[in-house]
Amino acid sequence: MIGGMLRLLRVLARRRMGAALALVVLVGFALAVLARPVAWPYPPGAQEAGLVLQAPSLAHPLGTDGNGRDVLARVIDGARYAFAVPLAALALAILIGAPLGLAAGLGGGWFDAFLSRIFQGISLVPPLLLAMALVAAMGPSLRHVVFAIGVLEAIVFARAMRDEVRALHERGFVEAATAAGNPLHRLVLVHLLPNTLARIAGEIPRQAAWALGVLAAMGFVGIATAADTTEWGSMIREGVEHLYAGQWWVVVFPGFALLVFGTALRVLAESIDEHGPRRAASGAMLAGVPGQSARALSPRGAA
Amino acid sequence: MERPVRALLRRIGVGLFLALVVVFTSFLLVKLGAGPTDVLLGGPSPGVEERAQLVQDYGLDRPAFVQLVRYAIRVLGGEFGRSWLTSESVLDEILHRLPATLELMLYAIFLGTLMAVPTGMAAAFARDTAEDRTVRGTSVLGEAMPPFFLALLVLLVFFRWLDIAPAPSGRISIVLSPPPTITGSYFIDAFLMQDSIAARSALAQLVMPVFTLALMLGASLTLLVRGAMLAQMDAPHFVYARAQGMSREMLTIIALRGALPAIGGGLAAQSAALLSMTALVEYVFAWGGIGQYGLEAMAKADFAAVQGFILASAAIAATVHLLHAVIRRLARIRIRRA
């Protein structure tokens, strides 16, 4: 497994430094989460009354927070949320979105038109704000956070899927496969899904980055979870009063963790856009499908 | 005459449908909520009378479908309900705060575009050089930046460390009283009243939030401009123009003209993201616009206000899209005449 990963890294490094670096960062976060309980003496929840708001030092490289807890341990622990919540939300989004988009793309007609209008209407509300409002209504819980993000990202995947299938349809792809005697399940599984994979896969890191941002915003406003957690947004929320008093480390380090993690995901997304397999729909997207992402306007993935 | 009328009717029909979807979404918000609707809308401890009034107003004793219809009629009639925290009309509160938000957004769009267009163009002309990679790297970093974190960093550096910026205490220094409302922008209103102290304070308060938002917006716009320019530079007419040995200035104009529709479309598409960023930045700077209002309502479970905020955000986004559609239509007419 490690050999395979090394090989993957070598291939990526040859093609693109950024993507390799991004993967190293993400794997680094994962390893840090796994290693922290054995490698680092301070648990994320342990309070030391005598060590409140200590500036970064050798014993506490990222300082301690207002409750005397080690910031480094908490920042590392926060990565668990950064992995788990976007991943769970993505799974939900693809599970809902892909079949919807497939049905709309294959079926076409009124169902397609109806669905795209519904999506268009929902997308009029800024998704971040809608997700936050949903969680605020349903109550603070990570399950609700995953649900809200997943449902809204499902729209993105449904649209992507629909565009891809539609583009294949327009090229006579579906017609040809049907004429060759493929039953529906074979048409979908063998002929359509593999051809849409590139686009779906390309969406994944970008949507993960979005989910991370939404989670952090919810944590920052204080609606994501009831208790205080090591989620980076919530850590920043707790630290704001200390920031104004000059104890910057309680805010800056979780913020940097967010920034680095998010950047790694976005760099991956850009790299897939640029070097990934050609998309079936790139021609169709240029023709102006309603509600398309701005990025889709450029064949090079707008950078 | 037949066709334009039908096209118009169709447009109105689609618009109405979209409005209904938005209203339904906002209705669903409370229906999905943890707790009975009258508690969500009336606060955790509504009085017996208030509760009866809410049940009556929203038809809460009726089936959900009837509730939805009643809700839609109320909302489309401009009745957004009352916040249980302030017992003010939500619509009034939103309208009162709207200018503060629009002011931030407009300045940020202006400044962000001013930064992004030249940078994006330069990067496109320098495609795949170190310069291009630097611009792209910075932009991706900016896209990944949580808006509230950037706002806090700006505050840390300019307010706390350098001490050249005012405290994040809203739109004007807390020791001054706001100018009388003319446009709703404290800076413009104070300027019009020739109150230079208030104007200077309002301007000073604007600098940091606008700077934060412009940086955020500028990052994604730069990538957009670069992509749109590259698409133009691959087009046959541009290749021909370059082969003709036209000057860099002429080439820039040619590519930029072709890229304008894509840039405009991208800017319109970014409006939803900008609104979200503005809400978070307002929250940090205690700006007192609708964004801060909405986020605080969420944190305090004031759902009439949350619903109103969601509807207002959708209305702003819809207005932007409409404006964009009108501008595009006008531009197309001009092209046809030319």
Side-chain angles (χ1 to χ4, degrees):
Chain A
M1 193 189 124
I2 291 174
M5 249 159 63
L6 281 179
R7 207 162 56 230
L8 182 72
L9 271 182
R10 215 172 306 137
V11 170
L12 276 166
R14 208 176 319 136
R15 297 196 73 175
R16 196 149 167 71
M17 272 296 290
L21 214 66
L23 274 185
V24 167
V25 165
L26 293 180
V27 171
F29 269 111
L31 290 180
V33 168
L34 293 178
R36 187 197 51 77
V38 283
W40 192 242
Y42 308 100
Q47 306 188 2
E48 278 185 74
L51 288 174
V52 172
L53 291 173
Q54 298 281 303
S57 61
L58 272 182
H60 299 280
L62 307 188
T64 62
D65 73 359
N67 291 314
R69 295 175 296 198
D70 181 60
V71 174
L72 176 63
R74 294 178 72 71
V75 166
I76 291 174
D77 195 60
R80 290 186 305 133
Y81 296 92
F83 279 115
V85 170
L87 271 181
L90 274 171
L92 183 66
I94 294 175
L95 218 61
I96 304 174
L100 267 183
L102 189 68
L106 266 185
W110 70 266
F111 178 66
D112 183 23
F114 178 73
L115 207 63
S116 65
R117 289 299 179 197
I118 298 265
F119 290 163
Q120 202 185 348
I122 297 176
S123 307
L124 275 180
V125 183
L128 170 78
L129 299 176
L130 186 55
M132 293 178 80
L134 268 172
V135 172
M138 290 188 296
S141 144
L142 280 183
R143 209 175 301 165
H144 295 156
V145 174
V146 167
F147 173 80
I149 297 176
V151 166
L152 289 173
E153 285 188 334
I155 296 180
V156 176
F157 285 104
R159 275 179 170 163
M161 193 72 175
R162 182 241 170 234
D163 289 353
E164 294 295 294
V165 171
R166 218 54 234 154
L168 292 171
H169 213 313
E170 268 153 28
R171 285 195 197 161
F173 206 84
V174 173
E175 217 179 349
T178 315
N182 285 291
L184 182 64
H185 69 269
R186 211 181 130 75
L187 168 72
V188 169
L189 291 178
V190 178
H191 293 281
L192 288 181
L193 284 187
N195 280 300
T196 59
L197 225 54
R199 174 81 189 280
I200 299 292
E203 260 335 311
I204 286 176
R206 180 162 292 120
Q207 294 308 316
W210 187 75
L212 180 71
V214 176
L215 171 69
M218 288 173 179
F220 179 65
V221 174
I223 55 176
T225 53
D228 87 293
T229 67
T230 55
E231 190 277 313
W232 293 328
S234 329
M235 286 180 69
I236 294 176
R237 170 187 183 74
E238 277 178 57
V240 167
E241 49 168 327
H242 305 305
L243 177 86
Y244 293 146
Q247 283 102 9
W248 49 271
W249 54 92
V250 279
V251 165
V252 167
F253 291 123
F256 271 137
L258 264 175
L259 183 61
V260 170
F261 206 102
T263 306
L265 289 172
R266 278 178 198 276
V267 167
L268 272 188
E270 297 294 336
S271 168
I272 292 177
D273 274 356
E274 196 124 331
H275 299 284
R278 275 188 66 84
R279 300 162 167 187
S282 53
M285 285 193 295
L286 281 173
V289 180
Q292 68 196 355
S293 79
R295 219 165 267 285
L297 286 167
S298 131
R300 277 166 203 270
Chain B
M1 270 329 273
E2 189 80 3
R3 278 174 67 115
V5 172
R6 266 174 67 185
L8 189 69
L9 281 180
R10 203 184 113 80
R11 229 149 234 259
I12 294 175
V14 169
L16 263 177
F17 183 79
L18 294 185
L20 282 179
V21 173
V22 171
V23 170
F24 182 65
T25 310
S26 134
F27 174 77
L28 214 60
L29 211 58
V30 170
K31 283 289 143 193
L32 280 175
T37 309
D38 55 339
V39 175
L40 285 175
L41 291 175
S45 53
V48 179
E49 267 172 49
E50 283 172 47
R51 187 175 289 225
Q53 187 64 43
L54 275 169
V55 169
Q56 167 106 49
D57 282 355
Y58 289 89
L60 294 180
D61 47 352
R62 313 288 285 281
F65 179 71
V66 180
Q67 292 179 33
L68 171 63
V69 173
R70 281 206 186 185
Y71 178 74
I73 292 171
R74 278 171 64 92
V75 165
L76 295 178
E79 177 59 61
F80 284 16
R82 268 174 199 290
S83 146
W84 63 260
L85 271 174
T86 60
S87 47
E88 297 275 334
S89 146
V90 169
L91 186 65
D92 285 351
E93 291 203 295
I94 285 177
L95 288 179
H96 179 67
R97 284 156 210 264
L98 193 58
T101 300
L102 291 183
E103 186 181 28
L104 268 193
M105 285 175 67
L106 287 178
Y107 293 152
I109 291 175
F110 178 72
L111 213 66
T113 317
L114 214 62
M115 294 193 286
V117 170
T119 321
M121 283 190 341
F125 271 101
R127 186 196 295 197
D128 290 335
T129 62
E131 191 189 345
D132 181 30
R133 265 193 291 266
T134 313
V135 169
R136 287 173 57 193
T138 318
S139 300
V140 172
L141 202 68
E143 281 197 313
M145 178 67 104
F148 57 89
F149 181 52
L150 182 60
L152 289 171
L153 278 184
V154 167
L155 270 171
L156 176 67
V157 173
F158 295 100
F159 165 59
R160 172 73 213 181
W161 284 347
L162 300 181
D163 199 19
I164 52 173
S169 60
R171 302 161 63 193
I172 197 161
S173 160
I174 41 173
V175 298
L176 295 172
S177 55
T181 305
I182 305 170
T183 60
S185 150
Y186 280 6
F187 170 60
I188 296 174
D189 289 352
F191 188 75
L192 290 177
M193 295 306 288
Q194 301 188 326
D195 182 347
S196 65
I197 298 173
R200 198 171 303 162
S201 167
L203 191 64
Q205 296 287 341
L206 267 170
V207 171
M208 282 191 297
V210 167
F211 178 63
T212 308
L213 276 176
L215 277 182
M216 297 289 312
L217 183 68
S220 42
L221 270 185
T222 303
L223 289 179
L224 190 91
V225 170
R226 176 183 175 275
M229 290 290 284
L230 282 183
Q232 286 298 312
M233 290 161 73
D234 284 338
H237 72 268
F238 186 88
V239 176
Y240 180 67
R242 176 132 60 183
Q244 293 261 311
M246 284 191 182
S247 66
R248 170 79 184 256
E249 287 74 35
M250 274 308 288
L251 289 176
T252 308
I253 291 171
I254 291 172
L256 189 59
R257 271 184 80 162
L260 270 185
I263 296 174
L267 195 59
Q270 285 284 316
S271 62
L274 177 63
L275 206 56
S276 310
M277 292 181 217
T278 309
L280 288 165
V281 170
E282 275 186 17
Y283 187 80
V284 172
F285 286 97
W287 191 248
I290 64 167
Q292 188 199 355
Y293 176 71
L295 296 188
E296 273 173 4
M298 287 176 199
K300 289 173 182 155
D302 185 358
F303 285 101
V306 173
Q307 279 185 329
F309 170 58
I310 291 297
L311 291 168
S313 313
I316 293 177
T319 311
V320 172
H321 285 300
L322 197 68
L323 272 177
H324 174 236
V326 169
I327 292 172
R328 257 179 58 172
R329 168 81 27 131
L330 289 178
R332 217 175 294 160
I333 291 172
R334 264 195 53 198
I335 291 170
R336 220 175 289 150
R337 287 216 180 113

PDB file of all heavy atoms in Angstrom, chain B residues 298-313:
ATOM      1  N   MET B 298     -29.545  33.276  13.673  1.00  0.00           N
ATOM      2  CA  MET B 298     -29.316  31.826  13.667  1.00  0.00           C
ATOM      3  C   MET B 298     -28.773  31.368  15.014  1.00  0.00           C
ATOM      4  O   MET B 298     -29.218  30.380  15.587  1.00  0.00           O
ATOM      5  CB  MET B 298     -28.308  31.451  12.581  1.00  0.00           C
ATOM      6  CG  MET B 298     -28.871  31.535  11.179  1.00  0.00           C
ATOM      7  SD  MET B 298     -27.565  31.191   9.998  1.00  0.00           S
ATOM      8  CE  MET B 298     -28.281  31.890   8.521  1.00  0.00           C
ATOM      9  N   ALA B 299     -27.784  32.114  15.522  1.00  0.00           N
ATOM     10  CA  ALA B 299     -27.162  31.710  16.782  1.00  0.00           C
ATOM     11  C   ALA B 299     -28.160  31.804  17.931  1.00  0.00           C
ATOM     12  O   ALA B 299     -28.053  31.060  18.901  1.00  0.00           O
ATOM     13  CB  ALA B 299     -25.945  32.591  17.050  1.00  0.00           C
ATOM     14  N   LYS B 300     -29.132  32.718  17.816  1.00  0.00           N
ATOM     15  CA  LYS B 300     -30.077  32.908  18.921  1.00  0.00           C
ATOM     16  C   LYS B 300     -31.417  32.241  18.628  1.00  0.00           C
ATOM     17  O   LYS B 300     -32.384  32.474  19.358  1.00  0.00           O
ATOM     18  CB  LYS B 300     -30.276  34.400  19.173  1.00  0.00           C
ATOM     19  CG  LYS B 300     -29.044  35.014  19.789  1.00  0.00           C
ATOM     20  CD  LYS B 300     -29.169  36.513  19.887  1.00  0.00           C
ATOM     21  CE  LYS B 300     -27.902  37.122  20.453  1.00  0.00           C
ATOM     22  NZ  LYS B 300     -27.743  38.520  20.038  1.00  0.00           N
ATOM     23  N   ALA B 301     -31.497  31.447  17.562  1.00  0.00           N
ATOM     24  CA  ALA B 301     -32.715  30.708  17.241  1.00  0.00           C
ATOM     25  C   ALA B 301     -33.929  31.623  17.101  1.00  0.00           C
ATOM     26  O   ALA B 301     -35.006  31.343  17.589  1.00  0.00           O
ATOM     27  CB  ALA B 301     -32.980  29.626  18.287  1.00  0.00           C
ATOM     28  N   ASP B 302     -33.722  32.730  16.386  1.00  0.00           N
ATOM     29  CA  ASP B 302     -34.820  33.665  16.121  1.00  0.00           C
ATOM     30  C   ASP B 302     -35.291  33.412  14.685  1.00  0.00           C
ATOM     31  O   ASP B 302     -34.800  34.025  13.739  1.00  0.00           O
ATOM     32  CB  ASP B 302     -34.287  35.095  16.294  1.00  0.00           C
ATOM     33  CG  ASP B 302     -35.381  36.128  16.163  1.00  0.00           C
ATOM     34  OD1 ASP B 302     -36.534  35.734  15.901  1.00  0.00           O
ATOM     35  OD2 ASP B 302     -35.084  37.321  16.323  1.00  0.00           O
ATOM     36  N   PHE B 303     -36.237  32.476  14.522  1.00  0.00           N
ATOM     37  CA  PHE B 303     -36.439  31.926  13.184  1.00  0.00           C
ATOM     38  C   PHE B 303     -37.252  32.786  12.239  1.00  0.00           C
ATOM     39  O   PHE B 303     -37.123  32.656  11.029  1.00  0.00           O
ATOM     40  CB  PHE B 303     -36.972  30.506  13.261  1.00  0.00           C
ATOM     41  CG  PHE B 303     -35.885  29.574  13.641  1.00  0.00           C
ATOM     42  CD1 PHE B 303     -35.761  29.109  14.929  1.00  0.00           C
ATOM     43  CD2 PHE B 303     -34.896  29.263  12.722  1.00  0.00           C
ATOM     44  CE1 PHE B 303     -34.708  28.309  15.281  1.00  0.00           C
ATOM     45  CE2 PHE B 303     -33.841  28.468  13.075  1.00  0.00           C
ATOM     46  CZ  PHE B 303     -33.749  27.983  14.360  1.00  0.00           C
ATOM     47  N   ALA B 304     -38.091  33.653  12.772  1.00  0.00           N
ATOM     48  CA  ALA B 304     -38.763  34.586  11.871  1.00  0.00           C
ATOM     49  C   ALA B 304     -37.687  35.434  11.189  1.00  0.00           C
ATOM     50  O   ALA B 304     -37.736  35.676   9.977  1.00  0.00           O
ATOM     51  CB  ALA B 304     -39.738  35.453  12.640  1.00  0.00           C
ATOM     52  N   ALA B 305     -36.681  35.857  11.971  1.00  0.00           N
ATOM     53  CA  ALA B 305     -35.605  36.669  11.419  1.00  0.00           C
ATOM     54  C   ALA B 305     -34.751  35.854  10.447  1.00  0.00           C
ATOM     55  O   ALA B 305     -34.345  36.357   9.397  1.00  0.00           O
ATOM     56  CB  ALA B 305     -34.739  37.228  12.547  1.00  0.00           C
ATOM     57  N   VAL B 306     -34.490  34.569  10.781  1.00  0.00           N
ATOM     58  CA  VAL B 306     -33.684  33.735   9.879  1.00  0.00           C
ATOM     59  C   VAL B 306     -34.402  33.581   8.541  1.00  0.00           C
ATOM     60  O   VAL B 306     -33.804  33.743   7.469  1.00  0.00           O
ATOM     61  CB  VAL B 306     -33.418  32.344  10.502  1.00  0.00           C
ATOM     62  CG1 VAL B 306     -32.735  31.433   9.504  1.00  0.00           C
ATOM     63  CG2 VAL B 306     -32.563  32.473  11.747  1.00  0.00           C
ATOM     64  N   GLN B 307     -35.692  33.293   8.611  1.00  0.00           N
ATOM     65  CA  GLN B 307     -36.463  33.157   7.374  1.00  0.00           C
ATOM     66  C   GLN B 307     -36.405  34.435   6.552  1.00  0.00           C
ATOM     67  O   GLN B 307     -36.204  34.413   5.348  1.00  0.00           O
ATOM     68  CB  GLN B 307     -37.916  32.837   7.702  1.00  0.00           C
ATOM     69  CG  GLN B 307     -38.160  31.377   8.011  1.00  0.00           C
ATOM     70  CD  GLN B 307     -39.644  31.102   8.212  1.00  0.00           C
ATOM     71  OE1 GLN B 307     -40.390  31.958   8.680  1.00  0.00           O
ATOM     72  NE2 GLN B 307     -40.057  29.913   7.858  1.00  0.00           N
ATOM     73  N   GLY B 308     -36.606  35.565   7.246  1.00  0.00           N
ATOM     74  CA  GLY B 308     -36.563  36.840   6.542  1.00  0.00           C
ATOM     75  C   GLY B 308     -35.218  37.066   5.875  1.00  0.00           C
ATOM     76  O   GLY B 308     -35.137  37.519   4.731  1.00  0.00           O
ATOM     77  N   PHE B 309     -34.153  36.715   6.581  1.00  0.00           N
ATOM     78  CA  PHE B 309     -32.798  36.897   6.062  1.00  0.00           C
ATOM     79  C   PHE B 309     -32.584  36.024   4.823  1.00  0.00           C
ATOM     80  O   PHE B 309     -32.022  36.480   3.815  1.00  0.00           O
ATOM     81  CB  PHE B 309     -31.803  36.536   7.168  1.00  0.00           C
ATOM     82  CG  PHE B 309     -30.381  36.446   6.707  1.00  0.00           C
ATOM     83  CD1 PHE B 309     -29.762  37.520   6.100  1.00  0.00           C
ATOM     84  CD2 PHE B 309     -29.654  35.281   6.884  1.00  0.00           C
ATOM     85  CE1 PHE B 309     -28.443  37.434   5.684  1.00  0.00           C
ATOM     86  CE2 PHE B 309     -28.337  35.194   6.479  1.00  0.00           C
ATOM     87  CZ  PHE B 309     -27.740  36.271   5.874  1.00  0.00           C
ATOM     88  N   ILE B 310     -33.046  34.759   4.890  1.00  0.00           N
ATOM     89  CA  ILE B 310     -32.896  33.863   3.743  1.00  0.00           C
ATOM     90  C   ILE B 310     -33.658  34.411   2.537  1.00  0.00           C
ATOM     91  O   ILE B 310     -33.137  34.451   1.406  1.00  0.00           O
ATOM     92  CB  ILE B 310     -33.393  32.444   4.121  1.00  0.00           C
ATOM     93  CG1 ILE B 310     -32.459  31.803   5.139  1.00  0.00           C
ATOM     94  CG2 ILE B 310     -33.553  31.560   2.903  1.00  0.00           C
ATOM     95  CD1 ILE B 310     -31.059  31.588   4.636  1.00  0.00           C
ATOM     96  N   LEU B 311     -34.880  34.877   2.784  1.00  0.00           N
ATOM     97  CA  LEU B 311     -35.675  35.431   1.677  1.00  0.00           C
ATOM     98  C   LEU B 311     -35.006  36.679   1.110  1.00  0.00           C
ATOM     99  O   LEU B 311     -34.946  36.866  -0.114  1.00  0.00           O
ATOM    100  CB  LEU B 311     -37.087  35.758   2.172  1.00  0.00           C
ATOM    101  CG  LEU B 311     -37.949  34.539   2.517  1.00  0.00           C
ATOM    102  CD1 LEU B 311     -39.204  34.957   3.259  1.00  0.00           C
ATOM    103  CD2 LEU B 311     -38.325  33.789   1.238  1.00  0.00           C
ATOM    104  N   ALA B 312     -34.474  37.518   2.006  1.00  0.00           N
ATOM    105  CA  ALA B 312     -33.826  38.736   1.531  1.00  0.00           C
ATOM    106  C   ALA B 312     -32.578  38.415   0.711  1.00  0.00           C
ATOM    107  O   ALA B 312     -32.326  39.046  -0.317  1.00  0.00           O
ATOM    108  CB  ALA B 312     -33.469  39.630   2.714  1.00  0.00           C
ATOM    109  N   SER B 313     -31.800  37.401   1.160  1.00  0.00           N
ATOM    110  CA  SER B 313     -30.601  37.025   0.397  1.00  0.00           C
ATOM    111  C   SER B 313     -30.985  36.556  -0.993  1.00  0.00           C
ATOM    112  O   SER B 313     -30.337  36.912  -1.989  1.00  0.00           O
ATOM    113  CB  SER B 313     -29.843  35.892   1.088  1.00  0.00           C
ATOM    114  OG  SER B 313     -29.696  36.144   2.433  1.00  0.00           O
TER     115      SER B 313
END
